[in-house]
Amino acid sequence: MKRLGIMGGTFDPIHYGHLVAAEMARAEFSLNKVLFIPSGTPPHKERSDITAAELRFEMVERAIQDNPAFEISALELRRIGPSYTVDTLRVLRRTWPEHELYFITGSDALRQIFSWREVEEILMMTKFIGAARPGFDARDFLLQVQKERPETQERIHYIEVPALAISSTDIRARVKRGQPIRYLLPEPVRLYIQQHGLYTAQVMSDKS
Ligand code: NAP
């Protein structure tokens, strides 16, 4: 059976940490393809905090253009209302029937999985790869999995990604302070941020 990686995240903005995580997961788990799915309206976030989905989508498009194993999907963008992972996985199971699914996301996001809608169904549809920043301690979470869903233990994996020392939050703060972000993300993404005036104090206050 073929293997499809699903890279789920807000990507506000996408950076080298995400790209390295996706590439490491691809190699380590022999994934045939990694599909980036920028969240539409993430279920757990205030809409006003986040850059418009279309702009985040365009930044991801620019970031992955030189990797033939990476693709982007507008699946969550087209959805109206909160974007639940369970709905995304249901569609992907239909559109990629001959593939085993591996959902790749940040280890901090994964830690919250038991609060996600229809988690049992989710855990049956996909395996998980949590991309961890150096020093992340997964023990508490794995103990919780062992206690609450022992049958799913083998479906959750972690990879340590040193490049995840880079964070979207830090990049946004740097832009706001007028500090450089070059080399933290692909150059076409940096230029896109500059051209659209994203994350500047003005844009941020306009949204609040
Ligand atoms: P988040 O809370 O913004 O991010 C949590 C942490 O994970 C941050 O440190 C973030 O770093 C990192 N991260 C996020 N996506 C990553 C990725 N693909 N690879 C590596 N690190 C990543 O999380 P989010 O982006 O909103 O959500 C992550 C995924 O979980 C999305 O696909 C979302 O739809 C899904 N989710 C589903 C539900 C639900 O169905 N109820 C609830 C919550 C989340 P950066 O800030 O640097 O990205």
Side-chain angles (χ1 to χ4, degrees), residues 201-208:
Q202 184 60 47
V203 171
M204 281 184 161
S205 66
D206 281 354
K207 285 200 284 176
S208 59

Side-chain angles (χ1 to χ4, degrees), residues 6-13 15 17-18 21-22 37-40 42-45 76 83-86 88 103-110 112 115-117 122 131-133 164 166-169 172:
I6 303 155
M7 187 72 176
T10 308
F11 304 127
D12 193 16
H15 52 67
H18 300 129
I37 307 194
S39 311
H44 56 307
K45 289 185 181 172
E76 294 200 358
S83 217
Y84 293 105
T85 299
V86 67
T88 303
F103 194 91
I104 312 159
T105 197
S107 49
D108 290 330
L110 188 54
Q112 307 298 323
S115 67
W116 293 13
R117 177 181 282 208
I122 291 179
R133 298 201 151 94
L164 277 175
I166 302 171
S167 86
S168 301
T169 307
R172 294 194 301 272

Side-chain angles (χ1 to χ4, degrees), residues 24 30 35 90 156 169:
M24 277 177 69
S30 306
L35 193 60
R90 281 185 184 129
I156 298 179
T169 307

Side-chain angles (χ1 to χ4, degrees), residues 92-205:
L92 292 175
R93 289 250 295 193
R94 283 199 304 274
T95 43
W96 300 78
E98 72 285 14
H99 286 72
E100 196 177 1
L101 305 183
Y102 285 75
F103 194 91
I104 312 159
T105 197
S107 49
D108 290 330
L110 188 54
R111 202 173 8 201
Q112 307 298 323
I113 191 180
F114 289 108
S115 67
W116 293 13
R117 177 181 282 208
E118 297 184 57
V119 63
E120 280 94 14
E121 170 102 25
I122 291 179
L123 284 165
M124 276 163 57
M125 288 193 284
T126 187
K127 293 184 177 173
F128 275 93
I129 303 171
R133 298 201 151 94
F136 177 81
D137 188 352
R139 271 173 302 183
D140 282 356
F141 174 68
L142 292 174
L143 280 173
Q144 191 188 1
V145 175
Q146 203 176 19
K147 201 168 129 222
E148 299 195 24
R149 300 277 181 280
E151 72 285 3
T152 62
Q153 265 182 101
E154 273 97 69
R155 301 180 69 76
I156 298 179
H157 306 272
Y158 277 94
I159 50 173
E160 191 177 278
V161 185
L164 277 175
I166 302 171
S167 86
S168 301
T169 307
D170 177 57
I171 290 174
R172 294 194 301 272
R174 285 179 154 274
V175 175
K176 192 173 174 186
R177 290 195 298 260
Q179 292 173 324
I181 57 169
R182 197 190 284 262
Y183 309 128
L184 297 175
L185 32 62
E187 190 60 1
V189 180
R190 187 185 72 83
L191 292 172
Y192 187 94
I193 289 170
Q194 203 174 53
Q195 277 156 13
H196 289 78
L198 299 182
Y199 313 127
T200 58
Q202 184 60 47
V203 171
M204 281 184 161
S205 66

